[in-house]
Amino acid sequence: MIGDGGPMEGTAINVAEFFAGIGLVRTALEPLGVNVVWANDIKEAKFDAYLANYPDAREHFKVRDIRLVKGESLPEGIELATSSFPCIDLSLAGNRVGLGGTQSGMFWQFARVIKELPKKPRVVLLENVHGFATSHGGKDLADALHCLSGLGYSLDVLSVDARHFVPQSRPRMFIVGIDKEDLPKNAHVGVPEVSKARPAWVTAIHKAHHESIAMHYLDLPALPDGPSDLNGVVEHDVSSAAWWDERRVKAFVDSLSDGQLARFEALRSANALSIRTAYRRTRKGVSMWELRRDAIAGCLRTTGGGSSKQALVELGYTREPRIRWMTPREYANLMGATEYKLLAGTPNQQMFGFGDAVVVDVVRWIGEHYLLPVLRPDNAAGDEEPAEAE
């Protein structure tokens, strides 16, 4: 049957936050009326960061391997379950062993816990990298969709790049599952039209599966354009000691390819100050630096070493270039967590936490335009123009 919003309109939306990390899903959704009643992650350092921002987490955050979590141990009345399960086995930069891997395979443990709950959540929201869609030729995603459908959910797939909200290129895919017996009246069946939130590869997923499992889609507003530079996120009062010395800057320049060096010199000689980000890459076995072509950041990564950290480069007016590592606060700003307190952990642990998190603005956009209209239609914003097909 078609749901009418359920019996709990006007009350808080109780949420279980699986693979909670440092809590940016909570940061995104709490202003919309979400109440996190249970959270879980395996890393103590992430819990410390979460706790520093949400002191009540001591009561509901379980630092525990999800394989040891039993559904009956979760509180009753959970309406939404979120899951940003590990991406390393699905990422194009990872080992690509897929859902059979020890990390990304934790998806199956999330599904098991949901199955064990006395009453399943009305909605589930999963987030991962685009590589999920192509892992093992699409079989891993198909298996996950069939699993979630078997738990009683109708499914929708979205793709949102964080660059629509923050100056960071960070494309991620989302799966929204709604209880098949509680689909809103405005849910559509069939294949959605191509849009920025549902590019052609996403509509192909709908086309491939909508006849074999329950799938739906909701109309969504157009994604915003997003910022075009880093001015709003960069710290301008960083200590002079943070900037690299002449020897280190020279090593950076010497590592650039001919094409990269031409880009570097063009920016350095321009009559304007440019701020660019750079990553170390390995090309034909050689480590070298590469500047981004545009003026936003590359996708933040978990900081396990120097090659995973992003550098900030200031160029212009033919003066000597300035280069330094990005700071934890800049990482936080790039993740939309501008008010997040950096009180726990080392700088590397803080950057690791942000590199492994969701972008606040992206999840809040999904919350405002998808989750809230489903779970609390009376509290949702007024009707908005749907995105046009592109």
Side-chain angles (χ1 to χ4, degrees):
M1 65 180 179
I2 300 294
D4 61 359
M8 300 177 66
E9 293 179 10
T11 60
I13 300 169
N14 287 341
V15 174
E17 193 180 1
F18 290 77
F19 311 101
I22 62 173
L24 296 197
V25 168
R26 175 172 177 171
T27 301
L29 297 181
E30 197 167 63
L32 304 183
V34 156
N35 177 37
V36 175
V37 297
W38 184 89
N40 156 262
D41 202 279
I42 197 172
K43 292 187 180 295
E44 191 78 36
K46 291 183 177 180
F47 166 69
D48 291 341
Y50 193 117
L51 183 65
N53 284 270
Y54 299 106
D56 66 338
R58 197 176 297 281
E59 303 171 7
H60 68 258
F61 195 116
K62 310 301 178 184
V63 184
R64 188 175 303 161
D65 188 328
I66 193 174
R67 291 173 293 186
L68 303 178
V69 173
K70 302 298 181 184
E72 57 266 25
S73 70
L74 272 66
E76 297 180 355
I78 293 170
E79 291 189 83
L80 170 65
T82 67
S83 174
S84 296
F85 62 100
C87 68
I88 189 168
D89 300 318
L90 299 168
S91 171
L92 297 177
N95 54 39
R96 296 294 277 172
V97 296
L99 291 186
T102 57
Q103 298 288 322
S104 299
M106 292 301 103
F107 163 82
W108 302 113
Q109 296 299 322
F110 165 74
R112 172 190 58 79
V113 175
I114 296 299
K115 185 176 182 179
E116 290 176 355
L117 291 173
K119 183 177 181 181
K120 71 174 183 287
R122 294 171 59 196
V123 177
V124 293
L125 173 68
L126 292 84
E127 177 265 354
N128 216 287
V129 295
H130 281 183
F132 190 11
T134 57
S135 178
H136 289 145
K139 184 178 184 302
D140 282 335
L141 178 59
D143 289 346
L145 294 175
H146 278 85
C147 172
L148 294 170
S149 179
L151 294 176
Y153 291 104
S154 176
L155 305 165
D156 191 4
V157 179
L158 306 172
S159 170
V160 182
D161 192 331
R163 69 188 307 158
H164 290 286
F165 302 92
V166 295
Q168 180 194 173
S169 173
R170 192 180 186 88
R172 290 294 185 266
M173 67 175 292
F174 296 85
I175 300 173
V176 184
I178 302 176
D179 187 334
K180 295 176 184 177
E181 301 301 317
D182 198 24
L183 278 178
K185 296 177 182 179
N186 62 338
H188 307 289
V189 295
V191 180
E193 294 184 350
V194 172
S195 66
K196 287 182 179 178
R198 295 188 181 92
W201 65 268
V202 167
T203 63
I205 292 169
H206 280 264
K207 185 175 182 179
H209 299 291
H210 79 281
E211 293 183 351
S212 59
I213 60 176
M215 296 196 74
H216 71 275
Y217 65 94
L218 299 185
D219 294 324
L220 293 169
L223 288 164
D225 291 335
S228 58
D229 58 50
L230 294 160
N231 288 334
V233 301
V234 169
E235 287 193 283
H236 296 286
D237 57 352
V238 174
S239 166
S240 59
W243 296 96
W244 295 355
D245 59 26
E246 184 178 345
R247 177 191 58 81
R248 199 170 185 182
V249 171
K250 182 178 184 301
F252 176 99
V253 175
D254 288 346
S255 80
L256 298 174
S257 67
D258 291 344
Q260 287 284 321
L261 183 59
R263 180 180 302 165
F264 180 92
E265 290 296 340
L267 292 170
R268 191 174 74 87
S269 61
N271 292 321
L273 181 66
S274 294
I275 301 176
R276 291 289 191 274
T277 58
Y279 265 133
R280 273 209 299 263
R281 311 276 190 188
T282 299
R283 304 295 187 191
K284 298 181 179 180
V286 178
S287 177
M288 57 180 57
W289 282 97
E290 292 185 359
L291 282 170
R292 273 193 71 87
R293 186 182 302 274
D294 55 20
I296 67 173
C299 185
L300 298 183
R301 306 174 189 168
T302 52
T303 50
S307 63
S308 64
K309 294 171 67 174
Q310 202 157 173
L312 196 73
V313 184
E314 284 190 3
L315 298 162
Y317 303 115
T318 67
R319 70 188 191 190
E320 291 302 310
R322 298 206 303 170
I323 306 174
R324 62 170 172 81
W325 295 117
M326 298 194 80
T327 67
R329 171 50 59 196
E330 288 166 343
Y331 267 50
N333 294 344
L334 285 169
M335 297 301 289
T338 55
E339 303 300 320
Y340 197 89
K341 301 180 183 70
L342 301 176
L343 300 175
T346 65
N348 263 359
Q349 286 174 326
Q350 292 166 353
M351 290 189 287
F352 187 102
F354 288 115
D356 203 27
V358 298
V359 172
V360 170
D361 305 74
V362 172
V363 175
R364 187 168 295 161
W365 184 84
I366 293 172
E368 287 176 342
H369 302 296
Y370 205 127
L371 305 180
L372 196 61
V374 170
L375 291 167
R376 294 293 184 274
D378 284 358
N379 296 355
D383 294 336
E384 298 193 43
E385 291 296 321
E388 295 182 359
E390 299 172 4

